Amino acid sequence: DLGARIELAKAYIAAMDHAHGLEQLLEVVRADFGEFRAEAKKIMLEVFDMLGLEDKIANEYRFKLSLELFS
């Protein structure tokens, strides 16, 4: 269930486990082309903004997200 996966990702992020949260969101982006994908992408961008440009995890998942969106 993609909605449940998004909620799990939010819980990981709230617990400061950004890598696991972003991985869950990336899986939603890979699996859906509708509203769940849009919501997952939005949350990922918010997390990237929160972590900043120098964060290693944010940069890794920025790259992975761009691969999913533009390949």
Side-chain angles (χ1 to χ4, degrees):
D1 179 337
L2 298 176
R5 192 174 281 251
I6 289 173
E7 292 305 313
L8 176 61
K10 288 179 184 179
Y12 277 131
I13 292 163
M16 305 301 283
D17 188 350
H18 300 117
H20 284 108
L22 289 167
E23 186 62 35
Q24 293 299 315
L25 294 167
L26 188 63
E27 288 301 320
V28 173
V29 169
R30 289 178 176 143
D32 187 64
F33 290 94
E35 69 180 65
F36 289 120
R37 180 185 181 119
E39 183 179 357
K41 179 183 159 196
K42 177 181 173 275
I43 296 168
M44 289 182 82
L45 295 175
E46 290 170 355
V47 172
F48 297 158
D49 189 46
M50 177 183 69
L51 295 176
L53 294 174
E54 301 299 319
D55 187 85
K56 185 176 177 179
I57 292 170
N59 287 332
E60 175 185 346
Y61 281 91
R62 273 187 196 97
F63 178 73
K64 289 180 178 184
L65 179 61
S66 69
L67 287 177
E68 291 303 319
L69 296 177
F70 302 112
S71 19

